[in-house]
Structures are given as C-alpha cells and as structure tokens.
Amino acid sequence: MQETVYITITGMHCPDCPKKVERSLTKLNGVTEVNINYQTESGNVTFHNQVTNIAEIINRIKKMGFEAKFVRDESEATIQSN
C-alpha cells in the first residue's frame, strides 16, 4: 500500500540540497514521489510500505549528512522547521 510521510530536514546549506535529497530518495526502491522545500526545511515522501519504510528513508537522508525526522502531518513539519 502507498503511504505519504512528512519529514523535517536540517543541515541543508544551499538551494540545491533538496534536489540532491529528492534524487537520492527516488532511487530507493518503493519510493514514488519526493518533495523537499529548502526554505521550510520540510517535505513529504510517498512510498510503497511493503517495499521500504520510514526508517530506511530517514537513514538515507542521514547518510547524505543531513538530520531528518518523521513528523505526523504537514502542519507539524512546517511548525517544527521554523
């Protein structure tokens, strides 16, 4: 089943960082869509939860040198990133 999660990402130092995260995550099996916003330091990831999971997504982001955290919904992601 497809699932969308919201995340916060800190440590992005330039406007190209979200594009790098998006490219990396879309290469992860099961991920179908990624949208990361540099200004709000947040985004969402849609994936097939039978193929991958939140922990794998967060770990992939951390391996890139950023801090990432799962949040319950989009409004929480925006609040936490301010």
Side-chain angles (χ1 to χ4, degrees):
M1 186 166 82
Q2 216 166 270
E3 179 178 347
T4 298
V5 295
Y6 298 94
I7 55 176
T8 58
I9 302 174
T10 55
M12 295 188 292
H13 60 275
C14 72
D16 286 333
C17 289
K19 293 174 192 165
K20 292 176 185 178
V21 172
E22 289 172 351
R23 270 192 301 256
S24 179
L25 290 180
T26 55
K27 291 179 183 177
L28 191 61
N29 284 337
V31 173
T32 58
E33 186 177 351
V34 183
N35 296 298
I36 307 296
N37 185 302
Y38 174 68
Q39 292 180 346
T40 63
E41 296 184 319
S42 64
N44 60 56
V45 181
T46 302
F47 62 98
H48 294 283
N49 60 13
Q50 296 154 338
V51 180
T52 192
N53 58 51
I54 297 166
E56 286 185 57
I57 292 166
I58 297 295
N59 285 336
R60 172 72 65 106
I61 295 168
K62 287 183 175 184
K63 284 182 182 178
M64 296 182 71
F66 306 113
E67 283 301 314
K69 185 174 154 184
F70 163 73
V71 293
R72 296 200 188 283
D73 61 40
E74 187 175 14
S75 65
E76 189 177 336
T78 304
I79 291 167
Q80 288 190 4
S81 67
N82 290 335

